[in-house]
RNA sequence: CGGGGUGUAGCUCAGCCUGGCAGAGCGCUGCGUUUGGGACGCAGAGGCCCACAGUUCAAAUCUGUGCACCCCGACCA
């Protein structure tokens, strides 16, 4: 651990009046922060709990400290970064025409019951009761409450459209917080909600939010790509995610190098490989001793996987479901869940499989009854598929949908994989990992109706307001910015979100020339409105340089006898590593670029 | 909730098999020497060895049960 403050007054304190006289009103750069006073502990080694680069660097640079799983305390330096990210978000949201409000984090449970989400969110909701035993939740998001607020203010089509947003703490009892600031139980979200008279104007509100998001991420130095997304538990129709591509991301996205199609793996569309052409033949039972899997079956019978019908069993909201898909494809559980409009979807456990009379490894929909059968078009359209005989060790050749079995529901439930053909252009899809930074949804009326957000249109008719919802995770953005901007020595902040603009490293503060130069520099930087961190600690040069690299402030200015002898101060660019001696008066212009 | 891993000083970790005084490096405090890439000397401080229960003359160490944290899967910003 490196000391960042000292009980002893630093040479600067001894020799300079604190807070040099300053005539202009306080701005961002005033007063400069001295490291001898700053609450900051940097670590030489990262705690063993950290694996992600951002997690390690957040802990090593002392930006935040864990209180418990998914809960972090921010230190002054870390908090400055958070505030700068929020400032960018705020500026761009305002620019897009959105209006900022502030809502309670504590919500009466009834609000959540009105939309059915008290149950839909399930365990994720933090619940509590007041002294009178009235139920409350800590808001995991704010569609309901924002709709409540909108309902008071919106009566007429003349009140629309309007977009409201807030930057607020959200609480989610996540099954697994992880990755430092990537997935928290308490986190800050910028959440915006648009209110429109109809779907056509919603498109404009959605586009405005979308454009604001692109500017926000660009300004923050975070490369993201928009991808088509599933709308998940929030509900709604069109939806896109802004994904930061990184190996360590928890989401998988499919990208088409041909036409640019991009989608979350949960949502991705693709062109299924064609089925083998054949004339329907008579069904025939064959012995397949010990064969349980599609690859084994295909090898044993010398057929291709696409000539087989795969059976998978799930439990959807308690009810067993039998799922068929062609053997060369996999089930996309999110698509299946949406098809079934199910709240919970789990693989059926072994006991339930037996209880339902299913023969795992030899199951098929042929002769099956008493269970919902869902099939992907691939299984329905193909002819002469090999399927289970519902008898251990036997399969059926030449089964055909319509003749031998019938699906209750036919829907796209196939999982897109690397190499599958793009639905639009046929190019082989690629997969990448990514982190979801923001998510935009077209909600429609699923919240406005139950909460009662209605307006009177020009004809005097009462209509539900059409809503959109737009979220950005602030701490996650900070983590991703570090993932995208660091090297082996530490963080490399984009200038737009850096905790300070300039890091002044003062060496040999016992020398009057250095002291004078620091004092003059401090003033000129402050006057220029630049925010400054000055390392005035009684530490060795090595420690100061290491800490400067770790903290990652864009410019480092070294004030030392050596530099002064060469006619100025040493200016170093953290990102490029370029170092040069510049005259004291030039620092401000150089830093401003 | 399923699978894996880890809990010993502020941090990184030894010690645990094979029970017997609580350890190292870094950091921290004081004094001194240092000052361009995590310096050096001397002297110090710092521990409910995650918790509880058991086995034992004796438990950081063996057994059991919890809990916490991390990682992999199901959720989301």
């Amino acid at each position: 651990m490196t000391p960042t403050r000292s009980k002893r007054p630093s040479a600067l304190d001894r020799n300079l009046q604190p807070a040099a006289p300053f005539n202009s009103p306080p701005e961002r750069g005033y007063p400069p922060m001295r490291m001898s006073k700053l609450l900051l502990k940097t670590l030489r080694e990262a705690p063993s709990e950290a694996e992600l680069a951002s997690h390690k660097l957040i802990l090593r640079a002392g930006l935040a400290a864990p209180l418990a799983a998914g809960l972090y305390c921010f230190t002054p330096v870390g908090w400055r970064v958070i505030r700068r990210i929020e400032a960018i978000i705020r500026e761009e949201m305002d620019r897009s025409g959105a209006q900022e409000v502030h809502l309670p984090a504590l919500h009466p449970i009834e609000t959540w019951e009105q939309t059915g989400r008290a149950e839909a969110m399930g365990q994720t909701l933090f619940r509590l009761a007041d002294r009178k035993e009235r139920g409350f939740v800590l808001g995991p998001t704010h569609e309901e409450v924002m709709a409540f607020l909108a309902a008071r203010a919106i009566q007429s089509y003349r009140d629309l459209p309007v977009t409201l947003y807030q930057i607020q703490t959200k609480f989610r009892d996540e099954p697994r917080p992880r990755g430092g600031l990537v997935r928290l139980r308490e986190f800050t979200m910028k959440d915006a909600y648009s209110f429109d008279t109809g779907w056509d104007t919603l498109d404009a509100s959605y586009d405005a939010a979308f454009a604001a998001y692109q500017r926000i991420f660009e300004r923050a130095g975070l490369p993201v790509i928009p991808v088509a997304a599933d709308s998940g538990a929030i509900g709604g129709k069109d939806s896109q995610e802004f994904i930061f591509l990184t190996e360590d991301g928890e989401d998988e996205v499919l990208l088409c190098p041909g036409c640019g199609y991009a989608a979350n793996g949960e949502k991705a569309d693709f062109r299924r490989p064609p089925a083998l052409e054949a004339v329907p033949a008579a069904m025939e039972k064959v012995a397949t001793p010990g064969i349980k899997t599609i690859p084994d079956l295909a090898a044993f019978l010398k057929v291709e996987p696409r000539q087989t019908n795969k059976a998978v069993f799930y439990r959807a909201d308690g009810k067993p479901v039998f799922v068929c898909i062609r053997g060369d494809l996999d089930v996309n559980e999110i698509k299946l869940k949406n098809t079934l409009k199910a709240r919970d979807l789990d693989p059926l456990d072994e006991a339930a499989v037996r209880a339902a009379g299913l023969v795992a490894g030899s199951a098929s929909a042929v002769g099956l009854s008493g269970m919902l059968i869902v099939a992907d078009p691939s299984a329905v359209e193909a002819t002469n598929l090999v399927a289970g005989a519902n008898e251990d060790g036997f399969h059926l050749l030449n089964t055909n949908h319509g003749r031998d079995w019938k699906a209750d529901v036919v829907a796209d439930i196939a999982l897109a994989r690397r190499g599958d053909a793009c639905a639009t252009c046929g190019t082989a899809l690629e997969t990448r990992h990514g982190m979801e930074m923001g998510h935009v949804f077209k909600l429609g009326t699923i919240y406005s109706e139950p909460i009662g957000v209605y307006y009177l249109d020009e004809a005097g008719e009462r209509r539900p307001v059409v809503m959109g919802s737009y979220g950005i995770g602030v701490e996650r953005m900070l983590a991703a910015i570090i993932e995208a901007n660091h090297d082996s020595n530490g963080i490399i902040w984009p200038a737009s979100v850096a905790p300070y603009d300039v890091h002044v490293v003062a060496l040999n503060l016992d020398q009057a020339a250095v002291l004078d130069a620091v004092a003059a520099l401090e003033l000129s930087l402050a006057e220029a409105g630049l925010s400054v961190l000055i390392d005035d600690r009684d530490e060795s040069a090595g420690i100061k340089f290491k800490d400067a690299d770790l903290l990652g402030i864009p410019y480092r200015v070294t004030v030392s006898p050596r530099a002064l002898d060469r006619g100025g101060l040493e200016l170093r660019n953290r990102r490029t590593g370029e170092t040069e001696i510049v005259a004291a008066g030039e620092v401000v212009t150089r830093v401003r670029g």
Side-chain angles (χ1 to χ4, degrees):
Chain A
M1 218 183 272
T2 301
T4 49
R5 58 186 176 147
S6 156
K7 258 194 154 172
R8 290 170 300 192
S10 77
L12 273 186
D13 286 330
R14 287 196 301 270
N15 293 282
L16 287 179
Q17 287 307 306
F22 200 78
N23 296 326
S24 54
E27 286 176 32
R28 200 161 67 77
Y30 179 83
M33 174 55 76
R34 294 180 185 167
M35 275 183 92
S36 61
K37 302 208 182 323
L38 180 63
L39 181 87
L40 179 71
K41 292 283 180 197
T42 57
L43 299 176
R44 187 190 293 244
E45 294 171 281
S48 55
E49 68 201 39
E51 294 216 338
L52 280 187
S54 63
H55 192 189
K56 287 181 182 167
L57 288 170
I58 285 162
L59 297 174
R60 283 231 291 136
L63 305 180
L67 176 65
L71 303 174
Y72 278 81
C73 306
F74 281 89
T75 63
V77 177
W79 185 239
R80 285 178 73 94
V81 178
I82 291 286
R83 288 199 321 193
R84 293 202 70 187
I85 294 171
E86 290 181 357
I88 291 174
I89 293 172
R90 196 169 267 123
E91 284 167 22
E92 293 300 339
M93 292 308 294
D94 288 346
R95 195 215 302 251
S96 76
Q99 302 172 49
E100 185 171 8
V101 298
H102 191 74
L103 306 175
L106 197 58
H107 310 163
I109 183 80
E110 292 81 14
T111 308
W112 285 77
E113 284 166 349
Q114 274 183 53
T115 56
R117 288 168 101 202
E119 210 177 329
M121 299 289 293
Q123 300 264 79
T124 302
L125 270 188
F126 273 108
R127 296 158 191 267
L128 63 164
D130 70 6
R131 63 175 74 204
K132 290 178 287 188
E133 296 300 317
R134 182 176 181 193
F136 285 87
V137 307
L138 291 173
T141 172
H142 280 74
E143 278 79 6
E144 282 84 353
V145 178
M146 196 68 92
F148 169 87
L149 176 65
R152 317 224 122 197
I154 295 171
Q155 274 118 36
S156 155
Y157 71 95
R158 294 171 203 268
D159 298 325
L160 300 171
V162 65
T163 295
L164 304 175
Y165 78 98
Q166 66 163 351
I167 298 176
Q168 232 271 31
T169 307
K170 310 292 179 191
F171 301 86
R172 294 183 188 176
D173 193 355
E174 290 287 339
R176 182 151 93 83
R178 77 175 111 177
L181 298 186
V182 171
R183 186 178 210 76
L184 298 166
R185 289 195 292 178
E186 176 178 331
F187 64 99
T188 310
M189 180 160 90
K190 188 289 301 173
D191 49 324
Y193 307 87
S194 63
F195 302 87
D196 277 280
T197 53
W199 284 92
D200 49 339
T201 61
L202 168 59
D203 288 345
S205 299
Y206 183 93
D207 291 347
F210 189 95
Y213 275 31
Q214 288 191 304
R215 287 194 300 268
I216 288 166
F217 294 121
E218 188 182 336
R219 281 183 62 185
L222 191 57
V224 296
I225 58 165
V227 308
D230 179 67
S231 47
I234 310 283
K237 235 180 153 188
D238 289 350
S239 173
Q240 283 165 294
E241 291 170 343
F242 288 82
I243 298 282
F244 162 60
L245 295 175
T246 167
E247 285 298 304
D248 297 310
E250 42 187 6
D251 291 334
E252 187 175 77
V253 295
L254 284 106
L255 305 175
C256 175
C259 67
Y261 174 76
N264 190 305
E266 300 172 342
K267 168 84 176 176
D269 235 348
F270 66 106
R271 207 178 283 171
R272 293 163 181 69
L276 219 58
E277 297 280 338
V279 178
M283 195 162 75
E284 185 186 339
K285 183 165 156 185
V286 293
T288 51
I291 302 294
K292 299 278 185 201
T293 66
I294 296 289
D296 288 350
L297 182 66
F300 182 82
L301 294 174
K302 300 194 168 50
V303 297
E304 295 178 41
R306 64 178 168 146
Q307 291 170 272
T308 68
N309 194 348
K310 185 189 289 186
V312 195
F313 329 122
Y314 289 95
R315 183 194 305 278
D317 292 341
K319 291 196 206 83
V321 178
F322 191 98
V323 177
C324 302
I325 192 165
R326 216 174 60 201
D328 58 323
L329 302 170
D330 289 327
V331 174
N332 179 327
E333 296 184 1
I334 301 291
K335 287 185 182 177
L336 177 61
K337 194 170 165 179
N338 290 341
T339 298
L340 296 168
K341 297 187 171 40
R343 194 148 51 228
D344 294 309
L345 183 76
D346 299 295
L348 204 58
D349 56 83
E350 265 183 54
V353 169
R354 277 196 302 275
L358 298 168
V359 186
S362 288
S364 79
V366 179
L368 188 78
S369 64
M371 219 171 144
L372 185 72
I373 299 171
V374 179
D376 187 73
S378 61
V380 169
E381 288 159 12
T383 43
N384 297 343
L385 293 181
V386 178
N390 293 319
E391 186 179 339
D392 198 28
F394 291 91
H395 280 78
L396 299 170
L397 304 182
N398 306 324
T399 67
N400 288 291
H401 184 259
R403 184 188 72 183
D404 307 318
W405 63 285
K406 178 114 180 53
D408 300 306
V409 179
V410 178
D412 170 15
I413 50 166
L415 182 70
R417 295 163 303 192
R418 177 198 324 249
D420 283 335
C422 172
T424 22
C425 74
T427 309
L429 295 169
E430 295 176 354
T431 57
R432 299 284 298 277
H433 284 276
M435 249 182 231
E436 181 183 351
M437 291 295 116
H439 201 158
V440 293
F441 300 86
K442 291 182 184 172
L443 294 175
T445 59
I446 55 178
Y447 294 100
S448 50
E449 287 184 37
I451 300 289
V453 197
Y454 287 88
Y455 70 99
L456 290 184
D457 67 13
E458 288 154 284
E461 206 149 328
R462 194 172 118 99
R463 297 186 182 280
V465 165
V466 177
M467 288 177 62
S469 163
Y470 318 93
I472 291 180
V474 176
E475 290 89 346
R476 184 179 285 183
M477 254 184 92
L478 184 151
I481 289 168
I482 294 175
E483 292 291 337
N485 299 279
H486 73 273
D487 64 16
S488 59
N489 293 316
I491 302 169
I492 306 174
W493 290 114
S496 58
V497 299
Y500 296 91
D501 299 318
V502 183
H503 189 146
V504 176
V505 173
L507 300 178
N508 302 87
L509 269 168
D510 49 341
Q511 296 191 19
V514 172
L515 269 177
D516 292 345
V518 170
L521 180 64
E522 194 176 49
L523 253 179
S524 70
L525 291 171
E527 248 164 340
L530 292 166
S531 59
V532 183
L533 181 63
I534 301 185
D535 195 343
D536 60 336
R537 295 173 301 169
D538 186 19
E539 289 294 341
S540 72
I543 286 179
K544 293 183 177 187
F545 290 145
K546 287 288 186 190
D547 274 345
D549 286 348
L550 180 58
L551 286 173
I553 292 164
Y555 288 97
R556 185 185 84 194
V557 179
T558 304
V559 184
S560 67
R562 183 191 292 188
L564 291 172
D565 286 347
R566 293 189 197 163
L569 312 175
E570 182 193 275
L571 180 69
R572 181 181 163 94
N573 181 311
R574 174 65 180 91
R575 192 173 291 272
T576 64
E578 274 176 74
T579 304
E580 57 187 320
I581 299 290
V582 302
E586 274 179 49
V587 171
V588 167
T589 45
R590 297 300 300 275
V591 167
R592 281 186 160 164

